Amino acid sequence: MKNLKLLLFSLLMTTTLLAQKGYDIGDVATDFKLENIDGNFISLSDFTQAKGFILIFTCNTCPYAVAYEDRIEALNKKYASKGYPVVAIMPNDISIKPGDSLAAMKKRATEKGFTFPYVIDREQSIFPQYGATKTPHVYILEKENNTNIVRYIGAIDDNYKDASMVKTKYVENAVDALLNNKEVSISKTKAIGCSIKI
Amino acid sequence: MRFFKYFIFVFLVFGCIPHQKELEVYDFQGIDSFLHQKDSKVHVVNFWATWCAPCVKELPYFEQLQENFEKDVEVLLISLDFPNQYETKLKPFLKKKQLKSKVIVLDDVNMNTWIPQIDSKWDGAIPVTLIYNKNKRQFYPQSFTYDELVNEVQKFLN
């Protein structure tokens, strides 16, 4: 009995630790139903024509996220029609960052002319499942038998300061590879970002 | 009168210098030696930025640590502020806070190269802190209270 308890406890601990760690490459990513800036609720399953997604945890208030706004919009313009739309999720607690409220998100999206959905993880229940820790934080998902498989985790490219100085476009390379049925050669990258406010 | 003019000139030239403290800006190669000092002190290296609220919140604890363990501990604050905000944000912040700990600035876009070199567990969110001496080092991807910080530093002092 004691052993059983210990076993159960260990299992529980392992599950908890795994849950905290978030997704790795090859894992099945969860779908969600989150409110978009237009008031509608969005799920990945709504995108019946999509081959996959460029899912980006981002916000209004982080300077790194702001530095990438135009590049995120450019990704959507380039890849939505090819089957990889951008879906942006704002993960911060808005009581800590009022500048990330749905109204503020809507205002920013209008100013910048975002053409992608910009949804809010109001309950903060989705980003921990993915294991997102900062903004911006990208997950590229590939649709496979009605599930979404994680194929890339990390940064958008290798120069946050200057889009014209970028040497490696991590996200574009990964999506291009997936569109050509090739393996993603760089599937994980690291970059400085703002911690998600909880 | 001439003397007076001279006095004004000298005053203008030299009087401004202490306030015009220049930032020490390095690329990753440049900060590497700060991360591997072989003296007898405990080195506490904190990565922060003025735009990072939890970082700014814990700065006073690092200051307090530097003050209370002046002989044995050396705190280094590495700012990751954006170059276009050095003048508008970072310099005014440093002037206002009058930090006692040494502050340097890291400006290196090759993050995917240097972040894992600091610690393989670091995914890029800040604040993070590195504590090391000549025998051991530990990486802390977390915020600190003063007590937690002292507690960790004590492990290196004993």
Side-chain angles (χ1 to χ4, degrees):
Chain A
M1 186 60 192
K2 205 174 183 184
N3 276 340
L4 187 69
K5 264 190 192 164
L6 192 69
L7 181 72
L8 279 175
F9 179 72
S10 319
L11 270 175
L12 189 70
M13 284 305 287
T14 319
T15 331
T16 318
L17 285 174
L18 283 175
Q20 277 175 349
K21 240 184 118 224
Y23 297 143
D24 205 340
I25 305 301
D27 287 349
V28 176
T30 186
D31 200 349
F32 45 77
K33 195 172 181 184
L34 298 174
E35 189 174 358
N36 191 13
I37 44 174
D38 64 5
N40 293 319
F41 281 77
I42 300 261
S43 295
L44 297 178
S45 58
D46 300 338
F47 295 77
T48 49
Q49 300 300 311
K51 296 172 186 165
F53 300 92
I54 304 172
L55 198 69
I56 307 181
F57 293 91
T58 189
C59 67
N60 287 354
T61 53
C62 169
Y64 283 96
V66 172
Y68 273 109
E69 282 173 330
D70 294 344
R71 279 176 265 184
I72 292 171
E73 173 58 24
L75 281 173
N76 192 55
K77 283 230 170 73
K78 184 168 179 185
Y79 289 107
S81 58
K82 294 180 180 176
Y84 276 83
V86 167
V87 175
I89 303 180
M90 201 301 293
N92 287 337
D93 179 347
I94 60 168
S95 66
I96 299 171
K97 286 280 175 191
D100 285 325
S101 69
L102 196 66
M105 287 163 59
K106 185 176 181 176
K107 185 166 175 277
R108 189 63 186 162
T110 310
E111 283 166 7
K112 297 298 292 183
F114 290 163
T115 55
F116 51 85
Y118 189 17
V119 303
I120 184 165
D121 186 5
R122 195 175 270 125
E123 307 291 324
Q124 299 198 297
S125 60
I126 299 304
F127 84 79
Q129 295 184 59
Y130 279 78
T133 55
K134 61 191 191 302
T135 55
H137 203 157
V138 182
Y139 290 74
I140 297 178
L141 313 178
E142 184 184 24
K143 239 191 224 178
E144 216 176 79
N145 305 323
N146 282 325
T147 59
N148 294 296
I149 312 291
V150 178
R151 296 294 182 210
Y152 172 84
I153 303 173
I156 291 167
D157 57 43
D158 67 357
N159 194 320
Y160 75 90
K161 266 197 298 195
D162 187 347
S164 68
M165 297 290 283
V166 168
K167 291 196 202 89
T168 312
K169 296 178 172 179
Y170 304 128
V171 165
E172 289 202 20
N173 290 352
V175 177
D176 287 343
L178 293 170
L179 286 170
N180 291 308
N181 291 318
K182 287 185 181 146
E183 198 144 313
V184 175
S185 58
I186 303 177
S187 57
K188 274 177 150 183
T189 58
K190 296 189 172 183
I192 296 292
C194 308
S195 55
I196 291 172
K197 304 298 180 284
I198 46 173
Chain B
M1 187 58 194
R2 203 178 208 181
F3 173 77
F4 185 67
K5 268 188 189 162
Y6 178 73
F7 178 78
I8 291 285
F9 175 76
V10 169
F11 179 79
L12 282 176
V13 170
F14 294 98
C16 300
I17 283 172
H19 303 291
Q20 291 293 322
K21 205 173 159 192
E22 281 308 311
L23 295 173
E24 284 185 47
V25 183
Y26 299 94
D27 61 5
F28 183 67
Q29 210 180 350
I31 68 157
D32 200 50
S33 63
F34 291 104
L35 306 178
H36 299 94
Q37 305 207 58
K38 302 257 190 286
D39 55 19
S40 58
K41 286 194 168 183
V42 175
H43 293 270
V44 178
V45 183
N46 173 249
F47 290 86
W48 69 289
T50 58
W51 49 259
C52 164
C55 304
V56 171
K57 192 181 165 203
E58 66 177 5
L59 276 186
Y61 311 138
F62 287 89
E63 284 287 282
Q64 212 177 331
L65 180 81
Q66 180 64 88
E67 200 168 321
N68 293 344
F69 292 82
E70 202 180 355
K71 262 171 49 190
D72 304 313
V73 172
E74 199 166 294
V75 172
L76 177 67
L77 304 173
I78 301 185
S79 157
L80 290 163
D81 276 83
F82 287 28
N84 62 9
Q85 296 189 336
Y86 291 167
E87 296 298 327
T88 52
K89 294 261 174 70
L90 183 57
K91 279 186 174 179
F93 181 90
L94 295 175
K95 197 175 168 187
K96 190 173 142 209
K97 299 282 177 182
Q98 293 292 320
L99 301 176
K100 287 179 192 72
S101 311
K102 184 177 174 65
V103 179
I104 63 172
V105 185
L106 173 58
D107 175 26
D108 194 328
V109 294
N110 289 322
M111 294 168 169
N112 193 42
T113 310
W114 63 256
I115 289 173
Q117 287 186 48
I118 289 174
D119 194 277
S120 60
K121 289 192 296 293
W122 188 13
D123 66 0
I126 55 172
V128 295
T129 298
L130 178 71
I131 303 180
Y132 75 93
N133 60 18
K134 55 181 183 253
N135 300 319
K136 60 173 178 174
R137 57 201 295 129
Q138 195 165 343
F139 178 76
Y140 302 87
Q142 62 173 80
S143 295
F144 277 107
T145 62
Y146 181 69
D147 291 341
E148 287 167 348
L149 196 54
V150 169
N151 200 19
E152 288 307 317
V153 166
Q154 292 287 9
K155 293 179 190 167
F156 286 79
L157 287 170
N158 297 331

